[in-house]
Amino acid sequence: MNAMPRVSAGLFAVALLTACVTREAAPAPPAVDAARPVVVQGAMDLEIRKLAGTLEHVTEEKVHGWTFWRGTIDGYPVVISKTLKGMSNAAAATALAAERYHPVAIINQGTAGGHEPDLHVYDIVLGIQAVNLGSFKTGYRARGRGSSFAEWTPLDLMRSEGSAGEDPNARSMRRFGGDEGLLTAARRVRGTYRKGRVVEGVIGSSEIWNSEIDRIQRFHDQFGTMAEEMETASAAQIAGLFDIPLLGIRVVSNNITNGGTYDALTGEACQEYVYDVVKAYIGETLKR
Ligand code: 5AD
């Protein structure tokens, strides 16, 4: 063996070791005296710009496609996160926020579609639970027999180590519970919201905008969904894996079950309410 290959092999071993060490290194802990921020998420500008504008001492941080605004509310650190739309984008934004900012709590908020007729545009749903409305196993149907949603069974992808489709234990709807501390703050300031009611219920998330009334009715009957959107259950799943408390707060911007037409300004109304929730949470839960 000549000297060159031995040197290359040595360098390769060192490079490999460095790579392993880098990959396994724990993420940097938050500075000891820095308070862990509250993160507030929203998918679109119309759901977060107003909140970002309320931050004191604000700085903007871009991480590829995601934007975070860091600042304070009442002197307490708050990060507003634009997650982008949909489950994948929201999951990635949540993981980024968890790793970068070590939040003490996360609120996922924004617009949603109503799943029951007595819920009106501008009403707000506090997510006592969030469910994934995009995770199912279909029934078997032979060629030419079309599709029937009635035969679909939910799949809990967090439940099975093997093939979820084959495991009967995975045939249930996973429910991500809203955090009690955040719920307490949200209930406390309920009276400040004058543009509609603030109710509590199940938020359903998927990357489908449902407009089939029978399907919506089935979600409502089977899983108790009060409203649907595209991010909360995903953010809740990731926050759960990081042990970060999370609450979904969603304003009804449209409701096909009662003819409620889309109103983009609901996104602002939701932010006004969430601002009060954040202040209550900071003042009464975190600063105690
Ligand atoms: N169905 C699904 N998503 C909705 N959104 C508002 N209304 C609905 C609805 N009826 C939200 C989603 C996503 C964007 C399309 O608006 O959360 O971010």
Side-chain angles (χ1 to χ4, degrees):
M1 216 185 185
N2 65 29
M4 267 314 281
R6 221 177 300 134
V7 170
S8 313
L11 283 177
F12 179 67
V14 168
L16 205 67
L17 199 67
T18 314
C20 291
V21 168
T22 311
R23 210 177 312 127
E24 281 169 16
V32 186
D33 58 349
R36 294 167 64 197
V38 175
V39 166
V40 183
Q41 302 174 312
M44 300 179 269
D45 275 346
L46 67 92
E47 294 170 326
I48 38 98
R49 281 286 172 182
K50 189 159 186 158
L51 273 170
T54 67
L55 292 180
E56 306 133 4
H57 316 294
V58 65
T59 55
E60 184 180 299
E61 289 183 7
K62 289 236 185 237
V63 186
H64 304 284
W66 293 272
T67 313
F68 299 91
W69 290 272
R70 302 177 72 171
T72 56
I73 290 179
D74 291 346
Y76 193 90
V78 173
V79 177
I80 309 297
S81 156
K82 182 176 171 181
T83 64
L84 307 174
K85 288 195 282 286
M87 304 290 267
S88 309
N89 286 330
T94 306
L96 284 174
E99 286 276 303
R100 297 176 77 90
Y101 307 117
H102 309 278
V104 68
I106 300 177
I107 295 175
N108 184 288
Q109 57 88 48
T111 57
H115 271 197
E116 56 179 54
D118 60 356
L119 204 57
H120 296 282
V121 172
Y122 280 97
D123 284 349
I124 285 178
V125 179
L126 305 178
I128 48 168
Q129 289 179 342
V131 295
N132 185 337
L133 295 182
S135 188
F136 292 93
K137 181 171 183 174
T138 76
Y140 172 72
R141 295 218 136 204
R143 192 183 307 280
R145 288 203 49 233
S147 167
S148 170
F149 176 70
E151 294 163 5
W152 296 13
T153 49
L155 275 191
D156 181 353
L157 300 179
M158 301 294 289
R159 187 111 185 216
S160 173
E161 282 295 328
S163 166
E166 301 302 322
D167 182 353
N169 293 322
R171 303 285 179 79
S172 59
M173 182 55 88
R174 161 119 357 195
R175 293 175 178 274
F176 302 98
D179 175 65
E180 274 304 321
L182 288 165
L183 269 169
T184 302
R187 287 173 183 142
R188 203 168 289 146
V189 295
R190 193 180 244 150
T192 63
Y193 187 67
R194 301 270 155 70
K195 294 181 175 164
R197 293 178 305 147
V198 178
V199 299
E200 297 178 17
V202 179
I203 296 171
S205 316
S206 76
E207 288 183 334
I208 300 169
W209 185 300
N210 290 289
S211 301
E212 298 174 354
I213 303 289
D214 290 348
R215 188 165 145 121
I216 289 170
Q217 185 68 46
R218 184 129 196 277
F219 283 143
H220 180 66
D221 294 344
Q222 201 170 349
F223 310 118
T225 53
M226 202 171 248
E228 68 166 47
E229 39 76 288
M230 300 190 179
E231 294 89 15
T232 298
S234 166
Q237 179 173 314
I238 304 304
L241 288 168
F242 279 93
D243 282 326
I244 301 168
L246 181 141
L247 179 67
I249 300 181
R250 291 283 166 164
V251 69
V252 176
S253 64
N254 60 99
N255 190 341
I256 201 167
T257 72
N258 62 12
T261 51
Y262 180 78
D263 183 342
L265 289 178
T266 52
E268 280 195 11
C270 190
Q271 291 173 76
E272 288 161 11
Y273 172 68
V274 167
Y275 179 71
D276 290 339
V277 176
V278 171
K279 281 172 87 86
Y281 188 67
I282 288 169
E284 286 153 44
T285 309
L286 298 179
K287 281 192 175 166
R288 251 187 289 155

